[in-house]
Amino acid sequence: MQGTVDGFSYGLVTPLVAFLMACLGGALGLRCTTRSMLVTRSWRPGWLALGSAAIGSGIWTMHFIGMMGFTIEEAPIHFDKPMTFASLGVTIVMVGIGIFIVGYKGARGAALFTGGTVTGLGIATMHYLGMAGMRFNGTFEYNTLTVAVSVVIAMAAATAALWAAGQVKGFLWSVGASLVMGVAVSGMHYTGMAALSVHLHGDSAAPVVGDSHAAVLGPMLIGPLAFLCLAGVVVVFDPLLITGKPVWPPIEEKPGVPAHTTVSHSAPRRPLSQRRYVAQRGSRAPQNR
């Protein structure tokens, strides 16, 4: 028996809010990635880790805000908590791998392609792992071609977002990169949902093990939103993320380099005849003068 699926129970409210959350997480994460390219290697892992967690939290929050509008008319939906929260950890790890590759190797060539591919796969993995954590009296069935298209969308848009973030050309580039990241996450999500069909079991009254929307979505939103706010504070109070200028220490602060370089100005050389005359005068003894 096929189930009747409604992905927009609240109209355009959930897709719009979900897109904004994806853009917020992408903006914070990509700005942290940009910041990592402006500092020495000792500070780089911290910024990249913060960026990975911000993007992962944004992706996860976007997915489940979008799923708030998802209903199956013939069956109630519940969530498996371990699977649901495991999807957050997986996406942070996979996005982190892609971010670290770009952060250390640069947003170009093979490093950009590899980082964008891994990041896109992290987005797709989060989506389908989150869907696997949903419990109802039936099963999900997917169209293979549409699923493949959704994964390609995620990889292509994630690569474009990382490239834009790697340009380090100021605030507007980061805004554009965050919008591209929002398109990557939202486009992948709703393309994946378009590939979905629901097959219900015969006994629709059978009990379902798991937690309801409210039990899972409440704590889920509090944690990632609090983290995104904290990451936003870090980004806002770092002026170098707005100017996009590298933090190269001045010469005076570098160890082993004098504060002021002494420039020696040699006196103009005298003609050869004058130098010989001075040498001859200097070599005479006092009694011969």
Side-chain angles (χ1 to χ4, degrees):
M1 174 182 173
Q2 291 296 117
T4 304
V5 175
D6 184 4
F8 304 95
S9 299
Y10 299 99
L12 295 178
V13 174
T14 48
L16 180 60
V17 175
F19 174 74
L20 293 177
M21 291 305 303
C23 290
L24 175 61
L28 296 176
L30 293 174
R31 287 306 286 170
C32 291
T33 304
T34 300
R35 183 65 168 86
S36 71
M37 300 177 183
L38 303 174
V39 296
T40 58
R41 287 183 176 268
S42 60
W43 287 93
R44 191 168 298 176
W47 283 107
L48 293 175
L50 180 62
S52 304
I55 293 177
S57 298
I59 295 169
W60 197 64
T61 305
M62 176 273 152
H63 172 84
F64 285 101
I65 288 179
M67 293 308 296
M68 289 179 67
F70 178 81
T71 58
I72 302 173
E73 292 185 5
E74 297 84 0
I77 300 174
H78 298 269
F79 291 88
D80 178 77
K81 272 190 175 181
M83 181 72 74
T84 300
F85 289 100
S87 64
L88 175 61
V90 170
T91 189
I92 290 177
V93 170
M94 293 191 66
V95 169
I97 293 173
I99 292 295
F100 269 76
I101 291 174
V102 172
Y104 277 93
K105 299 297 183 179
R108 57 187 177 275
L112 175 62
F113 176 78
T114 305
T117 299
V118 175
T119 302
L121 290 176
I123 297 172
T125 301
M126 188 275 124
H127 173 83
Y128 291 107
L129 192 59
M131 295 298 294
M134 299 179 68
R135 299 287 182 263
F136 64 100
N137 287 317
T139 57
F140 288 132
E141 297 176 354
Y142 293 94
N143 180 280
T144 305
L145 179 60
T146 310
V147 169
V149 171
S150 70
V151 175
V152 171
I153 290 174
M155 292 189 299
T159 302
L162 290 176
W163 174 83
Q167 299 306 302
V168 196
K169 291 185 178 179
F171 183 71
L172 292 180
W173 276 87
S174 294
V175 172
S178 65
L179 292 176
V180 173
M181 182 62 78
V183 170
V185 179
S186 299
M188 185 274 137
H189 175 85
Y190 287 104
T191 303
M193 296 305 293
L196 176 70
S197 61
V198 175
H199 179 75
L200 296 176
H201 296 160
D203 185 9
S204 60
V208 176
V209 179
D211 297 290
S212 64
H213 277 70
V216 173
L217 295 181
M220 178 204 68
L221 292 177
I222 293 175
L225 283 175
F227 175 79
L228 289 175
C229 291
L230 178 62
V233 170
V234 174
V235 169
V236 167
F237 284 94
D238 188 349
L240 292 170
L241 290 177
I242 303 300
T243 61
K245 296 179 180 179
V247 194
W248 306 125
I251 294 178
E252 291 82 355
E253 297 181 3
K254 290 183 179 180
V257 179
H260 301 282
T261 304
T262 305
V263 180
S264 60
H265 300 280
S266 60
R269 296 177 63 85
R270 297 178 181 180
L272 181 59
S273 59
Q274 294 184 11
R275 294 202 304 271
R276 289 177 177 175
Y277 175 73
V278 173
Q280 291 176 359
R281 291 190 58 187
S283 63
R284 292 178 182 176
Q287 62 272 19
N288 296 332
R289 292 181 181 176

